[in-house]
Amino acid sequence: MINKSKLLKRLIIAILLLACVAAFVAHKFVQSYGFDGLGDFITVYRHNKNLASKVEPVEMKILLSDDDYDFLKKRRDKAIERGIQINDGEDNYVPCKIIQNGDTVKAELRLKGHMTDHLEGDKWSFRVKTDKKPVLGMRRFSLQEPGTRNYAYEWVYHQLLKQEGIIHLNYDFIHLQLNDKDLGIYAIEEHFGQHVLDHNDRPSGAILRWNPNLYWEWRIDELQGTYLNEQYSNYSSSFVEPYEKGTVEDDSVLLNTYMRGAALLEAFRRGEKKTSDVFDITLMARFHAIIDLVGGHHSLDWSDVKFFYNSKTDKIEPVGYESFSVRKTESVCGQRIPDVYDAPGFNYHDQLFADPLFFEAYIKELERIADEKYFNNFIVSIQAELDQKNGIIAKEYPYKKFSFVPYFENIDLIRQNLQLPKPFHAFIETKTDSAIAIQLSPVSDFPIEILSLVVNGKHEIQIAQPFILPAKARNTYAHYFYISFNHPDLKLKNLVLKARIPGSSWIFETEVSDLPASKKFDEEVNNHTESNLDQTSMIQHPELINFHDSIWFFNTEEISIDQTLVFADSQDVLVFFPGQRVNFGEQGSIVSSGRIEFRGSSEEDGNIEVNASEAINPKDKNSKPKILLQDGDLICSNVSFFEVENFLSATEAEIYFTQCSFGDVQNNFMSTKLSVIHFDECGGGKVASLGYFEQSLVRLRKSFFKNGNQFIESNGSDIDLIGCDISNFSVCAVLNYSSSLRSWNSNFSGKDYIGVLNHASDMTLMGGVVSAARIGFLLDDKNNLPGESTYLLYRSEVSNISILEKRP
């Protein structure tokens, strides 16, 4: 006989166990969607339903013909299959009618968005443009599922922009119907046009962007599993274009603003103008600080950023658009991390933050905006309107949680990012009764401004001239910079350097080690090599100062070298500083077995100028070099060489040129043997010849040289060019005795020859353009070695060459 009482108890226990399991699973499930737990989910749900009961969304209805709807569906299905959507031309639009608040407006509509999240299910994204009459004050706007912009967080982003006086878009939430289909709640986002400027209180002008079409072609290849190094998809290959192109072309005022704005952006891209020359740095600084606050860094790609040229200020302003927020801010916009020192990366973001004026303004704005008090005041100002927006969203999505917590978490992360544990290492290099030299090795992602030296906790010595330590370059070991202080005969104990990120209120205090850097000992061990120089240095110049035995510098801006200065000790270091001008006379030269450093900077008036015009004798083609290195080093950063010839001769040397320029170079600029030479982001014009290289290793990166005779001559050397432009030379390269030249994505043009290859040499050009030569390659004009000279063109464009290959 069944015991009903026991059965009932067991059934109740089973139900309770199942309920507990269900509650546990539900608890874990809602946690995965950002809720604290099931209780938090229920609270949010009730709160949202309450908000939804207090608001009624704006209603909008779109009418499409069946044929036009089918047209859009076919394009949508094709995009889903391909994995990305490309809208090419006006044929994507179909006519429609929009009914809103009793008015019917003629318009055109197309599918919107590149990624397929805009096309999933029935809630497709649309771009709409009206004929004449605006809808909700807009003639161009987008309609999209609220989740594509993360619900109300995008609205908050635009309110931040509005508060800071930055051009922002009208962004709201409506209830949408397509024909007889109820599509539910949609986000409506203003698109770019002159109507945007009206409510942002700006004068008429062009809204601009870098054309991204070829970038998205590359993305199609990538999504289909084809990975190509397609140069056409890069920032450097794009061009500036206006929104509403037809409107701009038909209006002389708008056309002029487009031409001026495009010219400024192009000058900025080419490095001809700095950020502060082109952009409104206050608005740009605030914009990037807001991006840091909301974690919207995905919107800063060159293919996404939008600009406005303001004719009243003659500056470019940012235009806020799709923040993809709120996301975790693990790094801030200003963490501009170069690959090499003193050379910004070849992209929009690096160029922007390379300007110290902009960087300092950005840090000031970041500390002001990424602040709890600032953001709490902002919350109070928007809370009532935000409740309305969340109430409309809750009509369809009552389970969506909105929280200000991620913003405050980002504020904390930003503060931690700026308040570094240590910005640099510091070591005593040398000290005397009146001066001290300190070696600094950067370790942070930010430039650091050195402020003062504190001695024994009492005496603070202010720095004589501003000194900015660059951010640590990625993929490099410790790099050392020197700074010096004069002091009034103090006992140098317990030394502390005070410093800050430029623009920051946070002051770092870094102890200076009494021990020298390990690099110094390593140099002492390795520099005891035989020298061809007399071991007695001959250094006599009225303006040359010796700082603690081995470091030498000139104490004047104008430097005239009219005799031979000999630095025979391998420990000798001759330093030239920003703003100095060096003039070599006919008998002037420097002979060194140590290190020569031309430490120019990218700051205004920070270039070092080197001139040897007085030493040029047109009748003497074999004048002695102005700098002779024998087992020494030469480091040049931000130096301008002009009117020089046979300037440098080096044997067993290491030579670095970074962001240097060369002009009016007669004969060879340099000749080397058994040496390593690097050119990084350099340029030259009217350069007769860069040099003659024997058994050397030569690397050129992102450099250009124009208008000369014979660019390079090599005997048994390896030469690499990456992203270079060598144009309008009679001969680009003469390679002898098993020399090898390799290039990647570089361009060559020669009046007579691209390459003259002798004695089993080879030339390999991968990518780039080879053009404008009477004969492309002359092979084995002279050959007394076994083997043949060869050349290879791989994925290189060849044009305007009469004969590609000729053998004598």
Side-chain angles (χ1 to χ4, degrees), residues 736-757:
N736 301 307
Y737 298 106
S738 300
S739 291
S740 178
L741 185 150
R742 295 176 297 274
S743 78
W744 292 264
N745 300 316
S746 297
N747 302 329
F748 298 86
S749 69
K751 299 173 186 175
D752 294 321
Y753 305 101
I754 300 297
V756 177
L757 314 181

Side-chain angles (χ1 to χ4, degrees), residues 281-293:
I281 60 172
T282 299
L283 293 178
M284 288 294 283
R286 292 175 182 174
F287 171 72
H288 286 85
I290 290 172
I291 289 293
D292 286 331
L293 175 61

Side-chain angles (χ1 to χ4, degrees), residues 1 10 72 228 401 413 540 575 643 673 722 770 799:
M1 183 174 179
R10 289 173 182 175
L72 294 179
L228 302 175
K401 179 180 180 179
L413 286 170
Q540 295 181 357
V575 182
E643 293 195 64
K673 182 176 181 179
I722 303 172
V770 183
S799 63

Side-chain angles (χ1 to χ4, degrees), residues 564 586-589 620 622-626 645-647:
T564 299
E586 185 175 354
Q587 301 302 317
S589 64
D620 183 8
N622 296 304
S623 59
K624 69 177 184 179
K626 301 294 101 182
E645 67 172 5
N646 301 327
F647 182 76

Side-chain angles (χ1 to χ4, degrees), residues 438-462:
I438 298 172
Q439 272 189 331
L440 304 177
S441 179
V443 297
S444 85
D445 292 341
F446 299 98
I448 302 295
E449 179 184 2
I450 307 300
L451 301 174
S452 63
L453 176 69
V454 179
V455 181
N456 206 25
K458 299 178 181 178
H459 305 283
E460 186 168 0
I461 306 170
Q462 300 297 323

Side-chain angles (χ1 to χ4, degrees), residues 12-13 27 199 283 290 417 422 452:
I12 292 172
I13 292 172
H27 180 83
H199 69 79
L283 293 178
I290 290 172
N417 236 322
K422 189 176 186 181
S452 63

